[in-house]
Amino acid sequence: MQNSAPRSPRPLPVPHTNPDGRLTPELASVVAGARRRALRDGDRQIDTAHLLHSLLEADPEARAALGPGPKVARVRGYLAQRSIGYGLRWRGAVEDSGAVPVVRLPLPRTGGGAWSPSAVGAVDGALEQAARRGAGCAAGVDLLAALAADPECRAAEVLRRAGVDPESLRERAGGEIADAS
């Protein structure tokens, strides 16, 4: 006898995104969201644009740091265009701003899914920013400042195209992070 009830697909397990507990729960959720976005978009790597997109969706403090007016909408518009394959064309290319050595294999601490070298640098920069301000965990504004600190990463390119100056944003977001270039 066959069961006539439709089977719903089982959700894919979300890999552990905060192995050493140094991200706030909110930022760990942003990292998991970036991983899901990269998978959904068919990208080979989680890059800084995935991190920025997930961060702006989840963190009101990060959105507020972009400043008043339509800046948030413009940035999110560029990110949405990118996710549907329109506008900025990066598919198939490795994001490498030169800030950190190229990583060819998935990083063990990510729990699966390859990360671009720039994305690794941004998460590490967020952790360093949190430590400098005496926080036990990195928060969304720490990641935003780290993304803005690497002028060659995809997130900074999106910000510039949307009319947001990454240097000013880095300062507003807590910006003690040195330029990654």
Side-chain angles (χ1 to χ4, degrees):
M1 179 183 239
Q2 200 171 16
N3 187 350
S4 62
R7 287 185 62 192
S8 60
R10 275 198 277 166
L12 296 173
V14 176
H16 193 63
T17 57
N18 196 9
D20 36 4
R22 297 190 307 156
L23 305 178
T24 62
E26 297 81 10
L27 190 53
S29 176
V30 165
V31 170
R35 177 177 288 115
R36 286 188 302 272
R37 182 168 298 288
L39 287 170
R40 186 174 53 237
D41 292 350
D43 293 330
R44 293 183 308 148
Q45 293 184 328
I46 301 161
D47 66 25
T48 58
H50 294 120
L51 287 170
L52 180 62
H53 201 158
S54 187
L55 181 62
L56 294 179
E57 284 180 342
D59 192 320
E61 214 176 334
R63 287 190 302 271
L66 286 178
K71 290 180 182 179
V72 173
R74 283 196 308 261
V75 171
R76 290 179 79 177
Y78 272 102
L79 291 166
Q81 286 178 357
R82 182 265 176 125
S83 72
I84 62 171
Y86 180 78
L88 301 173
R89 309 256 176 187
W90 296 311
R91 189 166 305 238
V94 173
E95 176 185 38
D96 181 20
S97 68
V100 293
V102 173
V103 179
R104 303 245 183 249
L105 300 174
L107 298 174
R109 72 169 175 246
T110 66
W115 286 66
S116 75
S118 297
V120 171
V123 172
D124 287 345
L127 294 169
E128 292 168 11
Q129 172 75 6
R132 275 195 294 278
R133 62 180 178 80
C137 295
V141 292
D142 298 315
L143 179 57
L144 185 62
L147 291 169
D150 182 352
E152 301 303 315
C153 76
R154 291 177 178 172
E157 182 180 351
V158 168
L159 292 168
R160 282 190 300 274
R161 287 184 182 235
V164 176
D165 176 41
E167 179 65 29
S168 298
L169 176 60
R170 184 178 76 189
E171 291 169 11
R172 284 193 306 276
E176 298 170 13
I177 297 173
D179 246 352
S181 59

